[in-house]
Each structure stands twice: as structure tokens, then as C-alpha cells.
């Protein structure tokens, strides 16, 4: 069952150099209980996608100009601010890369957690305290009774991210959006946090949108994947479609460039030449065309639509690719 | 150190300690010490890459900064080409500085933002009295070319470059004096995979061309394995295991090494498996656990682990480990 449907979402920013299109016709959907990964280099529009869904684009510069975001049948692009605030507290939980930005440095973590619970779950302070301790315990924070009275700076980075997850999940949202939740953490702590998210997901049956630039994390944690480049979806499919039979030169390039533990050391790694362009400097046609080693003249004039790959669509997710030449490559 | 019986290594570090005083009170007396590096021995041969991995806070950067003598180590020895440089004054160090360079995770921190790239690259040449203006200018062109930056970069400023290009500027500056050793402190950690592979390729090419040695610090074991000949794993100020990359990956001997390897997400959904997860965080080096400092987190801990610091066991001539599971040295 589709929980969230993003359909042809486009968003623009007003900048000193004029209006730029940060998202262009982005479409994907997330089913209940599913984990969808969004991957791409920095600057590809992953965070802007998350902010657009939650209607947290910086105002007044950032605007959704086209498309729809439907959560449980309700359109979020047209919802009023009050409704959105409720949805963000109740139906969508959020976790960002830097836990400190999500936490109030001068308030104890117990108080910060309880705030949401008192707002959405119960009015009784004792019940709220018990619930807070239970949640802290659930996210793996030892001695929650002591930790409740501590301030964010007294915790390690991993523990802080656990607190942010606790806050995001306090109201048992149907969807968790996690934007690079483990990027600032050590691999060991990353493994702890990813395991925690997946355990809570199983408990609560929630869907997760996991945004990361790390293809390893995607392969470990996601059911389906959206590969983004410069604000457009380049390829989407099940995690097996993307890793076992990638069709887009960008997906292939990303996969080829990762050093792996089982490859021969000191050999030349394949690279994607160049860098992600700024939104003012996008090439015409396919946005990846100026870095693509397979580009032909038509690639910089025609914008390839996202096209389903025949016979490769599992029941859950369609494998689709936005490349004029995918069939020949 | 074991395994280096042939030619003297380019760099040899013996029993190195770097203890930072933790000051307290109005008198700012050292109330305790942060034992960031607390007994490290390692060696690097000319043209070789030694990778250094471990979670954050294990002392990797501090060790790197001691080697380039940004810090004055508390005790121990750093030998460069057989010469003890541990206690040399800044002036006496000057001839060694050109041989031992460093590149950082965030090149912006180490590049003077108000200087053009040309000036940034010329500075070390001037300090070390290399060439006249025309020769230096020619060398700058050569450096830009070596690191794959367009010639016009010379007149531009660091902020005009992307992260990957800035790292190229940092590398160009580091190789300007034709060093023998570069300490690379997380040089690709902040970069996207696609850019990361460009920089790794560049470092590998430069190494071949200039017979450079690297101490390559990173927390990503797959990156380290790709670029290194040998790898040392560091935990709370100590090296707990050293081996060549293949051995480290196929037959890790220390439980900490095994935990680090199993934590790396594998970019292949067909190889998903439930792997043991290392719990907890790195404890503070101010009050490290007794005995083997890894023992509170160790999945294989035994009562004796909290009693004594394990001595080094030589598994093979190029595989050493410090863990009681591996008995005493033969
Ligand atoms: N407030 C803003 N004003 C103008 N451009 C922005 C703003 N926020 C993001 N962008 C641009 O949108 C693009 C996508 O950014 P982002 O979603 O943050 O990338 P990612 O999360 O994939 O690294 C980038 O080119 C970025 O510069
Ligand atoms: N200049 C310094 N003064 C005091 N303590 C420091 C300094 N640099 C690092 N430390 C401490 O030394 C320990 C090791 O840090 P670091 O060498 O940066 O580890 P790593 O690079 O492995 O993350 C940490 O506890 C850190 O807080
Ligand atoms: Mg982002
Ligand atoms: Mg460091």
C-alpha cells in the first residue's frame, strides 16, 4: 500500500543570480513499512527533496512550483501550516545529519523528549516521564533515568543521534525521513544506528526514507532506491535493480568508483569526470550529459523522460531509467 | 620493530607518547592527562603506504601531527632516515620539513584563503630557498599539471574551487618540495565517492612517480585498504594490529579489527547478513580502561584482559597483534 507518493515534484529557489530549479519532476513512492534510499553526490537535491516533502524549504526563497506530495491520500503541497505542523509531529518523523542542530543545547534531553509526548500523546506528567524513559531505553540509551537529566553536549555523537531518533519516533510516525543520519558518525556507530532504525521500523511498521551518499548504506538498509543527479531522478528501482543491473551511466559510475575491500589495491579506480554543476550552470538536455562518457549530441538537447525498463519490474518497485541511450549501453 | 631487518626504514617511530595536559582551576594546573598517543611504534619504508585506521578519538591525527612535528611528543622517538628528529628545534627541523609534509581533511583550514593558488604553491619554495622567481614559476606550472589543475588556477583563490579541487591544491603544496613522506590525514573523508576516487588515483600516481611514502589516515577501511601496502589499527592511543592489507581483511587477528571490518557496509545487497555489531563508544583517553583498553567493548574479553596491557605477538614477520588471545611472542 502506497504511503507517500511524490509526483512530478519541482521546486525552485530565488537566488542573487536569478531563479534556479533545484528539483525537476521528481517522482517516487514509498509503501508502508518500506525503506527507500535516496542516493547521489552532494548537491544533487537529496536534502531539498526531504525539505520539500516536509514543507520546510527556506522561506521565502524556496518554493514548490509543480507536482504533488500525497501522504495517506492527503496532499501536503497545499496543506496549511498548522496542518503541516501536526503532520510533522505525528505522521512524519525527521532525523538529520548533525544531531546538535535538532537538539536544544540548553535543555535536558528528558525535557526535549517529553515536550512532544505532552503535546501529542498524553497530558499526564508521570505517564509522560515513564514513556520518555521507555523510549530512551528502546533507542539503546543506558541508564535512561540519569541520561534524562543530562544536556546534549554531555553525550557522544552516537548517543545524541539516538536521542534525536527517540524524539522523532516518540509519536510513532508512519514515515521516518532520515537525511544522512550516520554521515557524521564512525562506521561502528553507524552500524549501531542503522540496526536501531531497522529494529524500530519492524516494531512500529513505519516506512523510512534514508538519504545518504554512501552506496554501502543503501545496499545494507534499503528495499528500493532513487538515484538523483542535479535535481532529477536518473534511475529508480529495487535495490537489486540498482546494484545488479544498473542502467544509467550515472548509477554505473557511482557504483564503479567505490573502493571495495575485495578489489586489488593501488589499481586505478574508475572515476566520474568533473563535478556536480551548480544550478546556474546546468547543461541542456540530460543534466548529466556534460559528465557522461557516453553522451551524444542529442543528450544535451533532449531531456530523457524516466522510462520503465520492461520485464524488470518487481511487484513492489518499477525499474525506471532516464537516459536516451540506456538500451544501447 | 619486527619485519624491517633489511634497509633502515624511511620513518621509524618508537614508543611514541603524546599526553595533553587537561588543565583545571584558576591556576590551570594539569589535573590529568589526555593520553591521545600512548605507546605507538611503527615504521614506513620509502615508497610505501602505511594505512592507519581506528574510530575517531583514537589518536590518529595526534600521531600524524607528532610525526610532522606540529606537536612536541611527550616521549618516544621519531627517526627520519635514521636521524632522531623528536626533539629538534623548529630551526634545526627546517631541512626535514621539506621531506615530511602533511595534507588535511579540510584543505580550507590549511590553505591561506587570502592568497592566490600561485602564492600558496610558491610559499614553501621561497621558505626553503628553492630557485629564482622564474624557476619557481615554472615549478608552479609543473605542480598544477601534476595534480590535474588547469594552468589558469594559478591566479585564483581557494574559495573559487570545489572540495576535490581544493584537495588537489593541498596535494600540490605538499609535493612542492619533493618530499619523501606525506602524512595524509583523512584527505578524502569529506569528498563524494566519485571525487574520492579521483583523489585516490592521483595519490597513487604521484607515489609511483615520486617514490613517495604515505602515512594514510582514514576511518574508512575500504579506502585505506585500497591505497595501503600495510595497515595499522589504532585504539585509544595504541596500535593493536599491523598487517598487509590482504591479511588484515582476510585474517584479522584482533577483535577490534574484526569489529571494524564487520561494521563496514558492503555495497552489495546480495551479501547482506546479520553481522555482530560493536557496542558502545571509544572511552575517554583521560581515564582509559585498565589492561587492554578495548576490553570493556570486546566481544571476546576474558578476566585477564583488564589486568595487563597485552604485549606484541608476532604472528608472521609482517603481522603483529596485541591481544591475549594470541599468546606470547614466539
Ligand atoms: N536555500 C537555497 N538557495 C539556493 N540554492 C539552494 C538552497 N538550498 C539548496 N540549494 C541548492 O539545491 C541543490 C541541491 O542541494 P541539496 O538538496 O542540499 O543537495 P544534497 O542534499 O543532495 O547534497 C544544490 O545545488 C544547492 O546549492
Ligand atoms: N591539541 C589537543 N589538545 C588536547 N587534546 C587533544 C588535542 N588534539 C587531540 N586531542 C585529544 O586527543 C584524543 C585523540 O584525538 P585525535 O588524535 O584527534 O583522534 P582521531 O584523529 O583518531 O580522531 C582525543 O581525546 C582528543 O580530544
Ligand atoms: Mg544533503
Ligand atoms: Mg582525526
Amino acid at each position: 500500500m502506497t504511503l507517500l507518493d511524490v509526483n512530478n515534484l519541482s521546486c525552485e529557489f530565488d537566488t542573487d543570480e536569478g531563479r534556479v530549479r533545484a528539483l525537476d519532476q521528481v517522482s517516487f513512492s514509498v509503501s508502508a513499512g518500506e525503506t527507500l534510499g535516496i542516493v547521489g553526490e552532494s548537491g544533487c537535491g537529496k536534502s531539498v527533496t526531504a525539505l520539500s516533502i516536509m514543507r520546510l524549504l527556506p522561506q521565502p526563497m524556496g518554493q514548490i512550483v509543480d507536482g504533488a506530495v500525497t501522504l495517506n491520500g492527503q496532499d501536503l503541497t497545499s496543506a496549511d501550516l498548522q496542518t503541516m505542523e501536526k503532520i510533522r509531529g505525528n505522521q512524519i518523523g525527521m532525523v538529520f545529519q548533525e544531531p546538535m542542530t535538532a537538539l536544544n543545547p540548553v535543555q535536558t534531553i528528558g525535557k526535549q523528549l517529553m515536550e512532544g509526548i505532552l503535546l501529542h500523546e498524553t497530558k499526564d506528567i508521570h505517564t509522560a516521564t515513564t514513556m520518555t524513559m521507555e523510549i530512551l531505553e528502546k533507542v539503546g540509551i543506558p541508564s535512561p533515568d540519569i541520561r534524562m537529566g543530562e544536556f546534549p553536549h554531555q553525550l557522544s555523537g552516537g548517543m545524541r543521534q539516538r536521542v534525536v531518533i527517540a524524539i522523532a519516533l516518540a509519536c510513532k510516525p508512519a514515515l521516518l525521513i532520515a537525511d544522512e543520519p550516520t554521515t557524521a558518525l564512525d562506521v561502528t556507530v553507524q552500524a549501531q544506528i542503522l540496526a536501531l532504525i531497522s529494529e524500530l521500523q519492524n516494531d512500529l511498521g513505519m516506512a523510512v526514507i534514508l538519504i545518504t551518499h554512501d552506496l554501502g548504506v543503501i545496499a545494507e538498509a534499503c528495499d528500493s532506491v532513487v538515484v538523483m543527479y542535479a535535481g532529477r531522478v536518473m534511475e529508480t528501482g529495487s535495490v537489486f535493480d540498482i546494484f545488479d543491473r544498473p542502467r544509467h551511466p550515472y548509477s554505473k559510475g557511482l557504483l564503479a568508483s567505490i573502493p571495495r575491500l575485495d578489489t586489488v589495491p593501488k589499481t586505478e579506480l574508475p572515476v566520474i569526470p568533473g563535478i556536480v554543476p551548480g544550478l546556474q550552470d546546468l547543461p541542456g538536455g540530460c543534466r548529466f550529459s556534460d559528465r557522461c562518457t557516453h553522451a551524444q549530441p542529442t543528450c544535451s538537447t533532449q531531456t530523457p523522460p524516466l522510462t520503465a525498463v520492461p520485464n524488470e519490474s518487481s511487484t513492489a518497485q518499477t525499474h525506471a531509467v532516464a537516459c536516451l541511450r540506456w538500451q544501447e549501453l | 620493530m619486527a619485519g624491517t631487518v633489511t634497509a633502515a626504514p624511511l620513518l621509524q617511530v618508537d614508543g611514541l607518547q603524546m599526553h595533553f595536559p587537561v588543565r583545571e582551576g584558576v591556576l590551570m594546573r594539569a589535573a590529568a592527562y589526555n593520553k591521545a598517543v600512548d605507546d605507538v611504534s611503527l615504521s614506513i619504508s620509502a615508497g610505501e603506504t602505511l594505512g592507519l585506521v581506528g574510530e575517531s578519538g583514537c589518536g590518529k591525527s595526534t600521531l600524524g601531527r607528532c610525526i610532522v612535528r606540529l606537536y612536541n611528543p611527550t616521549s618516544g622517538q621519531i627517526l627520519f632516515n635514521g636521524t632522531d628528529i623528536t626533539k629538534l628545534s623548529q630551526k634545526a627541523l627546517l631541512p626535514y620539513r621539506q621531506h615530511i609534509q602533511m595534507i588535511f581533511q579540510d584543505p580550507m583550514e590549511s590553505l591561506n584563503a587570502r592568497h592566490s593558488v600561485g602564492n600558496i604553491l610558491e610559499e614553501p619554495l621561497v621558505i626553503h630557498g628553492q630557485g629564482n622567481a622564474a624557476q619557481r614559476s615554472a615549478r608552479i606550472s609543473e605542480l598544477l599539471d601534476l595534480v590535474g589543475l588547469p594552468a589558469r588556477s594559478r591566479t585564483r583563490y581557494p574559495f573559487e574551487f570545489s572540495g576535490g579541487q581544493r584537495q588537489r591544491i593541498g596535494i600540490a603544496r605538499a609535493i612542492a618540495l619533493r618530499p619523501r613522506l606525506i602524512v595524509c590525514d583523512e584527505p578524502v573523508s569529506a569528498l563524494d565517492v566519485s571525487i574520492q576516487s579521483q583523489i585516490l588515483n592521483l595519490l597513487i600516481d604521484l607515489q609511483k612517480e615520486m617514490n613517495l611514502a604515505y602515512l594514510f589516515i582514514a576511518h574508512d577501511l575500504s579506502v585505506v585498504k585500497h591505497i595501503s601496502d600495510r595497515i595499522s589499527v589504532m585504539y585509544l592511543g595504541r596500535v593493536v594490529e599491523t598487517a598487509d592489507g590482504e591479511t588484515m581483511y582476510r585474517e584479522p587477528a584482533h577483535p577490534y579489527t574484526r569489529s571494524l571490518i564487520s561494521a563496514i557496509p558492503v555495497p552489495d545487497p546480495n551479501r547482506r547478513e546479520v553481522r555482530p555489531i560493536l557496542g558502545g563508544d571509544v572511552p575517554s583517553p583521560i581515564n582509559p580502561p585498565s589492561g587492554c583498553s578495548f576490553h570493556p567493548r570486546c566481544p571476546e574479553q576474558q578476566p585477564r584482559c583488564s589486568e595487563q596491557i597485552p604485549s606484541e605477538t608476532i604472528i608472521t614477520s609482517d603481522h603483529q597483534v596485541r591481544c591475549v588471545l594470541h599468546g606470547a611472542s614466539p
Side-chain angles (χ1 to χ4, degrees), chain B residues 20 34 36 55-63 71 285:
Chain B
F20 295 109
N34 181 324
E55 291 162 288
S56 20
C58 283
K60 306 182 297 298
S61 296
T62 303
L63 173 61
Y71 293 152

Side-chain angles (χ1 to χ4, degrees), chain A residues 13-15 20 22 41-49 58 61 277-279:
Chain A
F13 285 111
D14 277 320
T15 71
V20 292
E41 292 163 282
S42 350
C44 283
K46 305 183 297 294
S47 295
V48 171
T49 303
M61 305 85 82
L279 296 172

Side-chain angles (χ1 to χ4, degrees), chain B residues 16-87:
Chain B
L16 197 75
Q17 287 193 322
M18 181 71 222
H19 291 182
F20 295 109
V22 180
R23 300 189 186 279
E24 262 175 25
V26 273
L27 297 175
M28 295 301 277
R29 263 203 297 251
Y33 287 89
N34 181 324
K35 306 184 190 82
V37 173
D38 195 37
D39 190 7
V40 168
S41 301
L42 52 83
S43 68
I44 307 178
S45 308
E48 184 192 38
T49 302
L50 177 70
L52 186 65
V53 291
E55 291 162 288
S56 20
C58 283
K60 306 182 297 298
S61 296
T62 303
L63 173 61
R65 284 162 188 250
C66 284
I67 290 170
V68 299
R69 285 292 314 279
L70 283 174
Y71 293 152
N72 293 320
T74 310
S75 69
Q77 270 195 327
I78 302 165
L79 302 178
F80 184 77
N81 248 341
T83 311
D84 187 349
I85 60 161
T86 328
K87 299 229 148 46

Side-chain angles (χ1 to χ4, degrees), chain B residues 280-298:
Chain B
D281 289 300
V282 179
S284 159
I286 299 173
N287 260 317
S290 64
C292 169
S293 55
F294 184 58
H295 84 262
R297 298 172 77 193
C298 184

Side-chain angles (χ1 to χ4, degrees), chain A residues 42-309:
Chain A
S42 350
C44 283
K46 305 183 297 294
S47 295
V48 171
T49 303
L51 294 174
S52 303
I53 293 171
M54 297 179 296
R55 295 272 309 279
L56 288 175
L57 285 173
Q59 294 301 313
M61 305 85 82
Q63 296 297 335
I64 293 175
V65 293
D66 195 12
V69 176
T70 318
L71 179 73
N72 267 330
Q74 181 179 13
D75 180 33
L76 303 188
T77 56
S78 58
D80 60 54
L81 294 181
Q82 233 176 339
T83 312
M84 269 323 291
E85 207 151 295
K86 248 191 219 143
I87 289 174
R88 284 196 294 263
N90 268 322
Q91 298 187 51
I92 307 182
M94 299 170 278
V95 178
F96 297 103
Q97 173 172 338
E98 207 7 271
M100 272 318 241
T101 57
L103 295 170
N104 181 344
V106 296
Q107 215 175 57
T108 63
I109 62 168
K111 201 157 178 211
Q112 299 187 47
L113 245 172
M114 232 141 68
E115 217 166 68
I117 294 176
L118 285 171
L119 204 66
H120 298 288
E121 298 277 310
T122 170
K123 296 275 166 261
D124 179 62
I125 191 97
H126 291 288
T127 320
T129 310
T130 317
M131 285 176 74
T132 303
M133 283 208 276
E134 278 170 11
I135 291 168
L136 285 173
E137 186 138 41
K138 195 165 188 164
V139 297
I141 295 197
S143 348
D145 46 335
I146 300 169
R147 292 298 184 180
M148 273 185 67
E150 291 188 341
F151 293 91
H153 70 88
Q154 292 173 284
L155 305 180
S156 69
M159 284 297 159
R160 273 182 220 140
Q161 200 58 295
R162 286 173 193 268
V163 172
V164 175
I165 291 172
I167 293 174
L169 300 188
C171 302
K172 306 190 174 67
L175 173 67
L176 176 73
I177 300 183
D179 188 355
E180 310 262 6
T182 59
T183 301
L185 306 173
D186 274 307
V187 278
T188 48
V189 182
Q190 164 168 286
Q192 296 170 8
I193 297 293
L194 292 176
L196 172 68
I197 290 177
S198 130
E199 186 190 312
L200 295 169
Q201 180 177 21
N202 287 338
D203 284 3
L204 303 173
M206 68 183 174
V208 175
I209 295 181
L210 182 62
I211 295 176
T212 173
H213 63 272
D214 186 334
L215 286 155
V217 170
I218 296 274
E220 291 269 345
C222 298
D223 303 309
S224 52
V225 185
V226 172
V227 181
M228 282 190 79
Y229 184 79
R232 289 185 66 95
V233 175
M234 295 286 122
E235 185 163 6
T236 174
S238 75
V239 71
F240 298 100
D241 290 334
I242 301 299
F243 283 80
D244 293 346
R245 32 188 184 269
R247 300 294 190 175
H248 200 287
Y250 182 57
S251 318
K252 293 182 193 173
L254 280 181
L255 283 163
S257 62
I258 358 175
R260 293 162 195 258
L261 277 173
D262 51 8
T263 54
V264 183
K266 294 205 178 181
T267 46
E268 173 131 347
L269 288 166
V271 303
I272 301 175
I275 56 167
V276 180
L279 296 172
Q280 287 88 4
D281 310 314
L282 295 175
C286 170
R287 291 185 170 194
F288 185 59
S289 58
D290 61 343
R291 293 178 74 193
C292 183
T293 44
H294 302 287
Q296 289 182 337
T298 43
C299 295
S300 47
T301 54
Q302 275 181 46
T303 303
L306 199 58
T307 315
V309 178

